[in-house]
Amino acid sequence: MYRIGELATLCKIKTDTLRFYDKQGLFVPSSRTESGYRLYTKKDAQRLRFILRAKTIGFTLVEISELLSIELDKSNKACADVKSLVDLKLADISQKIEQLHYFKNALQQLSSDCCGGPESAQHCSILEALESTSSAKNRTNNGHHQAHSHATK
Amino acid sequence: MYRIGELATLCKIKTDTLRFYDKQGLFVPSSRTESGYRLYTKKDAQRLRFILRAKTIGFTLVEISELLSIELDKSNKACADVKSLVDLKLADISQKIEQLHYFKNALQQLSSDCCGGPESAQHCSILEALESTSSAKNRTNNGHHQAHSHATK
DNA sequence: ATAAACCTTAGACTTAAATCAAAGGTAAAG
DNA sequence: CTTTACCTTTGATTTAAGTCTAAGGTTTAT
Ligand SMILES: [Zn+2]
Ligand SMILES: [Zn+2]
Ligand SMILES: [Zn+2]
Ligand SMILES: [Zn+2]
């Protein structure tokens, strides 16, 4: 059983945040002491870690709530409902990953095309890199130094 | 040459947003009419699309500015500068992707364990997993339908 | 000539997710 | 017994990225 301060330091967040989550109904301690102290179990801590992970990945608190709150309604919900919600998020994430990959490829192309030397970067273009990855353009010449003149002065 | 309203509708954003970006120095029209109307070229539009794409991926406007400043400044920058900045962003992105993958896997695990049927979610594996968040649970039995009674009634 | 689109500055409001502070307590630990 | 941790409520402030409104004016299009 953790008390609010313990859990907070354990998860590197503020007690304020935990009280905030509590008030929002997002993360309610599974019990209280007689005197009202919040008591969190290890399971609570795991749930919190789940929440925090979800957060760092870009889920909003509302979305996280949604996921967690199906739990409360579960006798009225079908497996289909639950699964579809998860699958929606899954599609979301997949798309984001895809877009990030697209970006990453473009930047990687740019980086590998760039000699990294002290000369002017006139011909290094992020926009062009992104354009070219989107349209699979003429990447025939062997990269940057063909386009660059500075390397072969 | 687009005027602010044209570009806005073209990219499905508000003119307000464009003026905002202008004021922030993030996205300045490449010219103005004599009378002061903003004029955007096709290149501007391209730049804007870049910005919007970057935004949906989760870059902040500041980060996007950084990315673009590489572009604007490039004649004053050396290849080394460009490359190091790009590589920094690359690391960023890679980390983001990694995190997203982590979460995707978690969701996929949940999703694939659920029958997705019309029955009560009372014993839905997804909810059970969220309840306990013990991701490494007894995954020995072949998943959801062992736990469920509804599938084999 | 009138409406629609644009210009400016300036400030208020919004949402999300906190964070901070203050007031006025109770409980737990050394 | 006193300090520290906790409780409550309320309200202010923060950051990001806009959005909205208003006032007062100019330009463009029909
Ligand atoms: Zn280069
Ligand atoms: Zn070079
Ligand atoms: Zn099922
Ligand atoms: Zn299920």
Side-chain angles (χ1 to χ4, degrees):
Chain A
M1 290 298 211
Y2 309 107
R3 294 198 331 206
I4 196 168
E6 294 170 324
L7 186 59
T9 53
L10 193 69
C11 291
K12 285 158 192 168
I13 56 175
K14 298 267 155 77
T15 57
D16 272 325
T17 305
L18 285 173
R19 292 202 191 93
F20 176 68
Y21 286 175
D22 187 353
K23 200 162 45 177
Q24 305 290 301
L26 171 63
F27 181 58
V28 178
S30 46
S31 60
R32 298 265 186 146
T33 64
E34 283 230 335
S35 48
Y37 281 27
R38 289 169 182 84
L39 285 178
Y40 300 95
T41 65
K42 262 157 221 156
K43 274 192 176 181
D44 288 338
Q46 271 173 329
R47 212 153 45 97
L48 178 58
R49 264 179 240 114
F50 181 92
I51 290 170
L52 296 177
R53 255 190 331 254
K55 229 177 53 53
T56 66
I57 278 151
F59 280 102
T60 65
L61 296 192
V62 169
E63 286 172 328
I64 297 170
S65 283
E66 230 179 319
L67 261 177
L68 292 176
S69 74
I70 289 180
E71 160 72 16
L72 300 175
D73 228 14
K74 64 181 174 184
S75 46
N76 293 327
K77 301 254 179 178
C79 267
D81 299 328
V82 181
K83 185 168 181 168
S84 75
L85 215 155
V86 169
D87 284 349
L88 256 170
K89 294 299 159 221
L90 208 48
D92 236 46
I93 288 181
S94 297
Q95 201 191 348
K96 241 176 201 171
I97 288 177
E98 209 179 303
Q99 282 181 315
L100 277 171
H101 271 304
Y102 165 80
F103 243 75
K104 184 181 176 181
N105 285 340
L107 288 184
Q108 245 161 8
Q109 185 66 252
L110 178 58
S111 175
S112 72
D113 278 357
C114 177
C115 70
E119 309 89 351
S120 161
Q122 198 81 292
H123 301 286
C124 288
S125 170
I126 286 180
L127 295 184
E128 269 171 33
L130 282 165
E131 246 188 312
S132 59
T133 51
S134 62
S135 55
K137 238 168 60 180
N138 53 327
R139 198 141 291 299
T140 44
N141 60 7
N142 57 351
H144 174 77
H145 290 287
Q146 226 60 321
H148 262 342
S149 52
H150 67 229
T152 52
K153 170 61 181 296
Chain B
M1 290 298 208
Y2 310 105
R3 293 195 331 204
I4 196 168
E6 294 169 324
L7 186 60
T9 52
L10 192 70
C11 291
K12 287 160 191 166
I13 55 174
K14 298 266 154 81
T15 57
D16 273 327
T17 305
L18 285 172
R19 294 203 190 91
F20 176 69
Y21 285 175
D22 187 353
K23 200 162 41 175
Q24 306 291 301
L26 171 62
F27 180 57
V28 178
S30 47
S31 61
R32 298 265 188 147
T33 66
E34 284 229 334
S35 47
Y37 282 26
R38 287 168 183 85
L39 286 177
Y40 300 95
T41 65
K42 261 157 221 156
K43 274 207 167 164
D44 289 339
Q46 185 197 5
R47 214 152 44 94
L48 179 57
R49 262 178 245 113
F50 172 92
I51 290 170
L52 296 177
R53 237 177 4 239
K55 232 176 48 59
T56 66
I57 286 167
F59 284 104
T60 66
L61 296 191
V62 169
E63 285 173 324
I64 296 170
S65 285
E66 271 168 7
L67 278 172
L68 285 175
S69 77
I70 295 174
E71 185 74 18
L72 297 176
D73 243 16
K74 64 184 176 184
S75 48
N76 294 327
K77 300 234 179 186
C79 273
D81 299 328
V82 171
K83 189 164 182 165
S84 72
L85 229 162
V86 168
D87 285 347
L88 253 169
K89 285 298 160 198
L90 263 175
D92 262 25
I93 291 178
S94 297
Q95 202 189 346
K96 246 176 202 170
I97 289 177
E98 209 178 305
Q99 282 187 313
L100 281 174
H101 269 306
Y102 170 83
F103 212 70
K104 183 182 177 179
N105 285 340
L107 284 180
Q108 247 162 5
Q109 184 64 251
L110 291 181
S111 176
S112 72
D113 279 354
C114 173
C115 73
E119 308 90 352
S120 161
Q122 198 81 287
H123 302 289
C124 178
S125 59
I126 291 176
L127 296 183
E128 277 171 16
L130 284 176
E131 271 174 73
S132 57
T133 318
S134 54
S135 50
K137 237 170 62 178
N138 52 326
R139 203 146 286 308
T140 45
N141 57 10
N142 54 354
H144 175 78
H145 289 288
Q146 225 61 323
H148 260 343
S149 49
H150 68 230
T152 51
K153 173 65 180 296

